[in-house]
Amino acid sequence: MKPSPHPYSGPEHPAPGLPARPGRRGFLGGLLATAALAAAGPAHAAARQAPAPAPSNAPRATRPLLLGTYTSEAGGGAGIGTAAYDTATGAITPGSVITGVDNPSYLALHPSGSTVYAVAEQDAGAVTAVRLAPDGTYEVLGSRPTGGSGTTHLSVHPSGRWLLSANYGSGSVAVHPVAEDGSLGERADLVTHSSPPPGPGQGGPHAHQIVTAPDGGHVLAVDLGTDTVYTYALDESAGTLTEVSRAALAPGSGPRHLAFHPGGRFAYLACELDNTLVVCAYDPATGALTPGPGQSTGTGSGTSYPSQPVVTGDGAYVYLANRGPNSLTRYAVEDDGATLRLLDTVPVGGDWPRQLALSPDSSLLFAANQRSSTVTVFGVGPDGSLTAVGDPFPAPVAVCVLPLP
């Protein structure tokens, strides 16, 4: 039987048989650990490690970078970390900390760019809104309970009027209204995944992600515990969810996070318990998601615990973070998104890559490495190849990195 999560018992929801996952906390200050590059095994392509690229003729600029973390465990940070990254070189410069935010282990930006939202991953799950001013100052606008436990993911509906969140511990998803100033109202809906029965040994539902499909008309919730992706229609007037479809994954596969191809007809789903990436067809008219067979992560034998896929803005490449071997897998996208071709893997340069993010122009890839307390940065080549740039950036228990446009 494959190892699988048990009911939520604190940050990073440890699971029987999985390597221990320390609580995710902190940014600047305290426990700044430097990651050693992961050794490249037979499954890896030759690792590329290079200093930051030489300046080009392109304009140089720095943009803000936010880091998600934990605040509730010893040695953790004090809130959301702030930094800046060089858009040409990927070099990161540390900033201050946004305090007054509890356990902000996942972050999402409002479409206006003026507000960021954070989960509070704890027994009494919550979501918090923080206003970001152009001069770099911030204001915590307040928190709202999600009605569930272990809130682990959130996203903003493209309309900017609704915040969607996923409660891992209780296996539920919530909707909150967003006011014109970015603040949050009381919860408008809460849906618990009561069926189908949990996968082998999984104990209960564990909602791990909630996102809006590119068509804007459907919301998809990925549940690791029930091996199911639920599709909902969102009533944009009332903020309520109505289930319209569900997709069953292989029993015990543990679907975790998906990412859509920009064409809107396909999505790529990481399954953390059976070490696969699944290409799913998506029908915008009905919201139906149809999974294909699980594909290799290219990491060889052993458990890879894939965490998150990301897709380049042009839809040409998909990258997957693998926590077991501490690597990144590169796939070429073919047939307008319907097919993935595995190209290679490279070391991530840190330990336990929890989350990935591409810069807005897809020229840089950031990896938040939980156990080594670092963020590593890669330049993305025209052929999708990844070149590590600079040294790992110290960020205690880094679990989410959000480059801002």
Side-chain angles (χ1 to χ4, degrees):
M1 180 179 295
K2 295 183 183 299
S4 52
H6 58 63
Y8 183 79
S9 60
E12 186 50 5
H13 39 267
L18 292 178
R21 304 180 187 181
R24 304 174 304 199
R25 305 185 35 160
F27 175 67
L28 308 175
L31 292 179
L32 299 183
T34 300
L37 283 176
H44 294 301
R48 298 179 173 92
Q49 176 68 37
S56 67
N57 293 327
R60 292 282 297 276
T62 58
R63 299 301 304 152
L65 190 74
L66 301 179
L67 291 106
T69 182
Y70 280 109
T71 61
S72 63
E73 294 185 358
I80 299 172
T82 74
Y85 71 96
D86 188 307
T87 58
T89 68
I92 300 175
T93 304
S96 60
V97 178
I98 300 174
T99 58
V101 185
D102 294 331
N103 294 319
S105 63
Y106 202 90
L107 308 171
L109 188 67
H110 191 275
S112 69
S114 61
T115 310
V116 68
Y117 300 94
V119 302
E121 190 178 341
Q122 54 200 21
D123 288 337
V127 285
T128 301
V130 181
R131 181 184 293 125
L132 305 173
D135 63 1
T137 60
Y138 64 87
E139 178 186 1
V140 177
L141 300 177
S143 299
R144 297 288 186 178
T146 62
S149 64
T151 310
T152 193
H153 187 269
L154 81 175
S155 61
V156 186
H157 187 266
S159 68
R161 298 180 55 228
W162 303 102
L163 182 71
L164 313 166
S165 58
N167 299 307
Y168 179 90
S170 52
S172 59
V173 293
V175 183
H176 287 80
V178 178
E180 289 189 6
D181 67 353
S183 62
L184 297 172
E186 291 292 346
R187 187 178 64 250
D189 202 5
L190 178 69
V191 178
T192 299
H193 298 156
S194 57
S195 67
Q202 295 189 28
H206 297 300
H208 215 308
Q209 184 194 34
I210 184 165
V211 295
T212 304
D215 60 82
H218 297 97
V219 171
L220 282 75
V222 181
D223 196 298
L224 189 149
T226 62
D227 297 318
T228 300
V229 180
Y230 303 82
T231 300
Y232 297 98
L234 173 68
D235 184 324
E236 293 191 42
S237 297
T240 54
L241 297 170
T242 301
E243 184 181 332
V244 297
S245 181
R246 62 177 65 174
L249 280 298
S253 58
R256 179 185 176 92
H257 274 212
L258 62 76
F260 274 94
H261 185 272
R265 295 283 182 169
F266 298 94
Y268 312 108
L269 177 61
C271 293
E272 74 167 87
L273 299 182
D274 71 356
N275 311 319
T276 60
L277 185 67
V278 178
V279 178
C280 304
Y282 175 73
D283 183 352
T286 65
L289 192 74
T290 305
Q295 300 190 27
S296 171
T297 61
T299 55
S301 60
T303 305
S304 60
Y305 305 114
S307 59
Q308 185 182 18
V310 292
V311 188
T312 55
D314 60 4
Y317 297 95
V318 171
Y319 303 101
L320 179 68
N322 303 294
R323 290 168 292 175
N326 291 325
S327 67
L328 302 172
T329 304
R330 177 175 63 124
Y331 301 87
V333 179
E334 301 175 339
D335 301 325
D336 295 324
T339 304
L340 293 182
R341 178 166 53 89
L342 194 155
L343 297 176
D344 58 17
T345 68
V346 298
V348 74
D351 190 1
W352 207 252
R354 166 78 182 179
Q355 184 257 356
L356 299 179
L358 285 159
S359 60
D361 64 358
S362 295
S363 66
L364 297 170
L365 177 70
F366 300 86
N369 302 302
Q370 181 176 349
R371 293 182 175 174
S372 58
S373 294
T374 57
V375 172
T376 45
V377 187
F378 296 82
V380 179
D383 60 353
S385 59
L386 298 176
T387 302
V389 295
D391 296 322
F393 176 72
V397 198
V399 292
C400 182
V401 56
L402 179 62
L404 302 187

